[in-house]
Amino acid sequence: MNRVVARARQVFLALTVGQRMAVLVGTAALLVGAFLVVRWVSTPSYAPLYTDLSGADASAVVDELEAQGIPYEISDGGSTVMVPRSDVYSTRIALSGQGLPASSDTGYNLLDDSDLSTSEFKEQTDFKRAMEGELANTIEAIDGVENSVVHLSIPEKEVFSDDKTDPTASVLVDTAQGSTLAPEQVQAIVHLVASSIEGLDPKKVTVADATGAVLTNPDSESGVGAANTQATLVREYQDGLRSEIQAVLDRVVGPGNSTANVTADLNFDTAITDSRTYQAPERNTPPISESTSTETYNGAPGGANGANGGIVGPDGQMDPAAPGDAGDAAYENSQVTRDNPVGEVVEHREAAPGEVESVHIGVVLDTAASAAIEEDLVQELISAAVGIRPNRGDTIEVTKMAFDRSAEEAAAAELAAAEAADARKARNDILLAVGLSLGIALLLLLAWFQAHRRNKKREKATTYVVEQLRADAAARTTAVERAPAVAVLEAADEDSASALQDELQALVEKQPEDVAALLRGWLVEPR
């Protein structure tokens, strides 16, 4: 460990002042970045535990979280308490066991404290408030609805009164930013509220958004904004026909060389027709019923009681001049009554809203692209494709005109310029990245060359010193061998120096790398 630390210190001391500063700044930045990353990873992700809390509930929930040691955050002015996402459900269950939040003022929780001493007025008021809260929570579950408020007007039932007041409801919805409710969603809200309250007519439900726009129409059958629904149906029908016509034109004259406009008249009135038709029976059909009556009479001549009869005159008197029938008076009358079956057809027809009354189509072709195409052929083709009915009042008009291409040409030029600018930017980014890479590589290469050159100088200087020490030691040994007497006399004075030199020479021979490193450190240290 000491050797590693000493080597790191030597490497650091071998660097220049600028390199030392770069190493210090880089190390500090690395440590700060590592600290921030560790802190970000260790920080839990928070999710709402409760929202729209009252002050008392928020205080009680926070106290309980602190007692249990659960980290939390408060937002929305203190009405929302947030805990780590992994602890939301377990914490909610634990707090529910403690009876928190206790003062919830929405939904059926209002009815939990009812007892025998509660007055009838308070019961009705609590029930109305509970229904309003439950309906508001249910409406907020619809996609796009952020918040909702429901107000109910439920009249008191009077048993002995003939006058009856119908209940009404009003709903205020706050949608998400940039979104609006579709007519189907408004209809769902209307019927949801109407089905939850006994005797509530959908026409009596009013829905408005946060901007103050009324989304329902009380004059329509369902209570929903009929005008918006009808306009949507007409627009969808026109767009469908226009798409079909444009597809045919694009195949004939090419894309962008034609335009079509469709106007449709739809009847949204609801019509009910009842009809009854009788049909004569076929021949040889047996009758349903048949009755026959026969009357016969046989009497004496001359009238009743033997009196002479006569012929009844024009005034109803008997004509005595007319002689009576000399024979017996008799007659016979027969009558047959037959009830023949008669075919009967009873028809009840309800015309659904949205019937097409008339369609009007206008088509314009580009003269340059449709010079060889006749307008009549195009008109017949479109008429057959979409089912034009002249007897219904449908019309179609096809004409040729020179199209103005200036906007398209300008858009194409702008698009080409934007693409060229993007290409230039991408090329410049690539060149910049390549230049930075080359610059960094060049700087690294120069730094490596400098370090290599410095290392060579240190090794050369170290080698020179070691060799010089060895040469001095060898020279002194030779001198001692040539002049023993002188060496003995000088040895008395230089015992300590000789011993130090011997130790140094032995150290150089045993640990040459450590001595060289030590000498390098001496050479680079500032004096």
Side-chain angles (χ1 to χ4, degrees):
M1 181 66 69
N2 293 332
R3 183 176 296 178
V4 172
V5 173
R7 188 174 295 275
R9 180 176 179 275
Q10 292 172 5
V11 173
F12 180 75
L13 293 175
L15 300 176
T16 62
V17 177
Q19 291 175 343
R20 294 178 187 177
M21 293 299 297
V23 171
L24 292 176
V25 173
T27 304
L30 182 61
L31 293 176
V32 172
F35 173 74
L36 294 178
V37 170
V38 171
R39 183 177 179 182
W40 175 73
V41 172
S42 61
T43 302
S45 176
Y46 283 83
L49 177 66
Y50 294 111
T51 59
D52 297 331
L53 291 175
S54 62
D57 280 344
S59 177
V61 169
V62 168
D63 292 341
E64 187 64 26
L65 293 177
E66 290 179 351
Q68 297 183 8
I70 300 175
Y72 64 90
E73 290 182 357
I74 300 177
S75 60
D76 295 338
S79 61
T80 300
V81 178
M82 304 179 69
V83 297
R85 187 176 298 275
S86 58
D87 299 336
V88 170
Y89 299 107
S90 59
T91 305
R92 191 174 293 170
I93 293 174
L95 294 180
S96 298
Q98 300 293 332
L100 297 175
S103 60
S104 177
D105 57 354
T106 59
Y108 291 126
N109 295 327
L110 292 170
L111 305 179
D112 294 340
D113 298 332
S114 299
D115 51 21
L116 295 176
S117 62
T118 304
S119 63
E120 182 179 0
F121 174 77
K122 189 176 186 307
E123 285 183 352
Q124 294 179 354
T125 304
D126 290 344
F127 175 75
K128 185 174 75 70
R129 291 176 58 193
M131 290 299 300
E132 291 174 349
E134 291 295 331
L135 287 174
N137 296 332
T138 305
I139 293 172
E140 289 175 3
I142 298 177
D143 188 17
V145 178
E146 294 289 338
N147 296 301
S148 65
V149 179
V150 179
H151 295 286
L152 300 176
S153 176
I154 304 176
E156 184 180 356
K157 294 182 179 180
E158 297 181 1
V159 180
F160 300 102
S161 176
D162 295 335
D163 297 334
K164 180 181 178 181
T165 304
D166 296 331
T168 59
S170 60
V171 181
L172 178 65
V173 293
D174 183 15
T175 58
Q177 185 68 26
S179 64
T180 57
L181 293 180
E184 295 81 7
Q185 293 177 308
V186 177
Q187 186 175 6
I189 294 174
V190 169
H191 288 285
L192 179 67
V193 176
S195 301
S196 302
I197 305 301
E198 181 182 0
L200 180 57
D201 190 353
K203 297 181 180 180
K204 302 294 184 179
V205 179
T206 302
V207 181
D209 59 10
T211 62
V214 179
L215 305 179
T216 54
N217 183 10
D219 296 332
S220 63
E221 292 294 330
S222 60
V224 185
N228 295 333
T229 305
Q230 294 177 7
T232 302
L233 293 176
V234 172
R235 183 169 56 254
E236 290 177 354
Y237 180 77
Q238 294 178 164
D239 292 342
L241 282 184
R242 187 184 301 107
S243 299
E244 296 179 3
I245 296 172
Q246 194 63 51
V248 174
L249 294 175
D250 290 343
R251 298 287 294 180
V252 174
V253 297
N257 296 321
S258 63
T259 181
N261 188 31
V262 178
T263 302
D265 294 332
L266 303 182
N267 185 8
F268 292 96
D269 296 336
T270 302
I272 300 176
T273 304
D274 294 328
S275 62
R276 186 186 300 270
T277 305
Y278 297 97
Q279 297 177 351
E282 298 180 356
R283 291 189 177 186
N284 301 324
T285 301
I288 298 176
S289 61
E290 182 176 357
S291 62
T292 304
S293 60
T294 303
E295 182 180 2
T296 59
Y297 176 76
N298 293 320
N305 298 326
N308 292 330
I311 299 175
V312 180
D315 55 356
Q317 301 296 324
M318 298 298 296
D319 186 4
D325 189 1
D328 294 336
Y331 71 90
E332 180 177 356
N333 183 19
S334 298
Q335 183 177 1
V336 178
T337 303
R338 297 186 179 89
D339 294 332
N340 295 320
V342 178
E344 182 180 3
V345 177
V346 179
E347 184 177 5
H348 177 80
R349 178 178 298 179
E350 294 184 4
E355 183 182 1
V356 180
E357 291 187 344
S358 63
V359 177
H360 308 280
I361 302 173
V363 177
V364 180
L365 305 178
D366 187 12
T367 305
S370 61
I373 300 177
E374 297 182 1
E375 291 91 336
D376 296 339
L377 295 178
V378 176
Q379 183 173 347
E380 293 177 0
L381 180 63
I382 296 175
S383 299
V386 300
I388 296 298
R389 301 178 186 178
N391 56 351
R392 190 177 57 184
D394 299 349
T395 59
I396 179 172
E397 184 69 25
V398 180
T399 183
K400 293 182 179 181
M401 291 184 180
F403 280 17
D404 184 8
R405 303 287 184 176
S406 59
E408 297 180 4
E409 294 174 355
E414 291 179 359
L415 182 60
E419 292 178 353
D422 293 340
R424 287 195 302 271
K425 184 177 181 300
R427 184 170 60 252
N428 293 335
D429 292 341
I430 294 174
L431 293 177
L432 180 60
V434 171
L436 290 176
S437 301
L438 293 176
I440 294 173
L442 182 60
L443 291 176
L444 293 176
L445 185 60
L446 291 176
W448 181 81
F449 274 125
Q450 277 189 343
H452 186 64
R453 186 182 302 169
R454 191 179 297 109
N455 291 334
K456 281 187 176 182
K457 289 182 179 180
R458 286 198 298 266
E459 290 177 0
K460 186 176 180 181
T462 303
T463 304
Y464 173 77
V465 173
V466 173
E467 293 296 333
Q468 187 66 30
L469 291 174
R470 289 180 179 176
D472 293 342
R476 290 186 180 183
T477 302
T478 303
V480 170
E481 290 176 354
R482 289 180 181 179
V486 178
V488 172
L489 294 175
E490 293 178 354
D493 296 331
E494 298 179 358
D495 288 338
S496 60
S498 178
L500 181 61
Q501 184 175 358
D502 293 338
E503 291 179 2
L504 179 60
Q505 185 175 357
L507 182 62
V508 170
E509 291 177 355
K510 292 179 180 180
Q511 298 179 355
E513 294 181 358
D514 295 338
V515 175
L518 180 59
L519 292 175
R520 291 192 191 98
W522 290 349
L523 291 174
V524 299
E525 284 183 356
R527 297 182 181 177

